[in-house]
Amino acid sequence: MFSVAARNVTRRAPRAPLALLSARRNLNLHEHQSLSIFQDFGVSIPKIAVAESIDEAAAKAKEFGDEVVIKSQVLAGGRGLGYFKENDFQGGVHVISSGKAGEYAEKMLGKTLITKQTGAGGKPCNSVMLAEKFEIKSEKYFA
């Protein structure tokens, strides 16, 4: 009745469309990148600056007044509760006096931050974001 080839074709499981097989989530943004997008669309954001070196962090922190928030820019959540593998420095987010920005940047830049989301391998911290400190009245989450 049916040839062997025809029987083999009818026994195969249906395949998913190629587009579904290759679908990947490629939206990986650092916090400062997403804040810039919000700002482009009229959402108010705090004053921010990005630094990729210790000297740059120290210089840019002077623009923020007495206190500044320094945040490691790592593609993972839980940065505030994480720690840096190389020096055991606790926390990737700190409210500090502006004069200590270089000291804190030195403990973060070029190091590996480990959080609940990164696993034991952690993620590299190649930049820090400096942000103005302010009171939060209410929070809104965008997705």
Side-chain angles (χ1 to χ4, degrees), residues 11-83:
R11 288 184 189 163
R12 274 193 208 148
R15 292 185 178 203
L18 185 58
L20 293 178
L21 293 176
S22 64
R24 288 186 62 182
R25 182 177 168 223
N26 290 312
L27 185 62
N28 293 318
L29 298 174
H30 288 292
E31 182 178 6
H32 69 90
Q33 293 168 317
S34 21
L35 286 173
S36 294
I37 292 170
F38 287 158
Q39 188 175 37
D40 290 347
F41 286 91
V43 178
S44 295
I45 66 164
K47 177 181 175 182
I48 63 170
V50 178
E52 295 180 348
S53 72
I54 297 162
D55 292 338
E56 189 179 10
K60 288 184 175 182
K62 293 175 184 175
E63 303 168 12
F64 287 88
D66 294 338
E67 288 187 311
V68 65
V69 181
I70 187 167
K71 297 181 168 194
S72 58
Q73 293 299 281
V74 172
L75 295 174
R79 293 171 293 157
L81 299 175
Y83 69 95

Side-chain angles (χ1 to χ4, degrees), residues 46-123:
K47 177 181 175 182
I48 63 170
V50 178
E52 295 180 348
S53 72
I54 297 162
D55 292 338
E56 189 179 10
K60 288 184 175 182
K62 293 175 184 175
E63 303 168 12
F64 287 88
D66 294 338
E67 288 187 311
V68 65
V69 181
I70 187 167
K71 297 181 168 194
S72 58
Q73 293 299 281
V74 172
L75 295 174
R79 293 171 293 157
L81 299 175
Y83 69 95
F84 290 88
K85 184 193 303 190
E86 294 82 1
N87 55 13
D88 237 10
F89 182 61
Q90 291 291 299
V93 177
H94 295 273
V95 178
I96 59 173
S97 69
S98 295
K100 292 191 174 191
E103 176 187 332
Y104 276 72
E106 184 175 15
K107 294 176 182 180
M108 296 178 179
L109 289 170
K111 310 293 188 294
T112 307
L113 182 66
I114 298 175
T115 72
K116 289 181 180 180
Q117 288 188 3
T118 66
K123 298 277 184 176

